[in-house]
Amino acid sequence: HLTILMLKAGFRTDYVPDAIAATVVPDRMGPYLRQQLRWARSTFRDTLLALRILPGLDPYITLDVIGQNLGPLLLALAVLAGVLQVALTATVPLWTVMVIASLTMIRCGVAAVRARQLRFLAFSLHTPINLFFLLPLKAYALCT
């Protein structure tokens, strides 16, 4: 939110790979999900603020904003397709699993390349949490 406000005011922002930032990370699932619900609502709201300034920004920022909003939708469609395949054909949805894994690695790979740090590839381990907890939470955030 602060970045979008700064960009909207005409300032420039840069990624600084050696910057150090601190945040409070909840150590229990309930507080973590409440934090993620606040952040999801903020992302959807901030996207509306950013729409007017996106054309003048770095293409990667535009891609990231689109990804943060369309990514959960595409992921939900992939999960739904997989569930339907299991329900209708009693077969394992290998195609769906491969698409989700590929998209995860692409997104983490882009982040790793942009940051020039391989540790960003580890974010792919976040996918199960995203699928089973955060995806439904983001749908709820969008509706509320």
Side-chain angles (χ1 to χ4, degrees):
H1 181 73
L2 293 175
T3 301
I4 289 173
L5 291 176
M6 296 299 287
L7 291 169
K8 193 173 178 184
F11 292 98
R12 189 174 149 233
T13 63
D14 285 317
Y15 173 74
V16 180
D18 56 345
I20 298 173
T23 187
V24 176
V25 178
D27 57 357
R28 293 188 335 267
M29 187 60 80
Y32 173 71
L33 292 176
R34 283 191 295 278
Q35 176 195 57
Q36 293 301 306
L37 178 61
R38 286 192 312 273
W39 288 4
R41 285 178 175 150
S42 177
T43 296
F44 292 133
R45 183 182 58 245
D46 288 343
T47 298
L48 295 175
L49 289 173
L51 287 177
R52 285 185 233 115
I53 61 172
L54 278 178
L57 300 178
D58 181 277
Y60 178 77
I61 294 174
T62 302
L63 179 64
D64 188 57
V65 169
I66 291 168
Q68 285 188 33
N69 289 277
L70 289 182
L73 174 63
L74 295 175
L75 185 58
L77 290 174
V79 170
L80 182 60
V83 169
L84 286 174
Q85 180 177 337
V86 169
L88 297 175
T89 67
T91 60
V92 176
L94 290 177
W95 177 252
T96 301
V97 171
M98 290 181 63
V99 167
I100 291 171
S102 298
L103 291 174
T104 298
M105 291 309 296
I106 289 169
R107 182 164 174 136
C108 294
V110 168
V113 168
R114 292 279 297 179
R116 293 182 184 92
Q117 295 181 18
L118 288 177
R119 66 187 176 107
F120 281 89
L121 294 175
F123 285 125
S124 61
L125 301 174
H126 187 259
T127 299
I129 293 169
N130 195 17
L131 285 175
F132 299 112
F133 295 105
L134 300 182
L135 190 60
L137 187 124
K138 287 180 182 183
Y140 177 74
L142 185 60
C143 294
T144 60

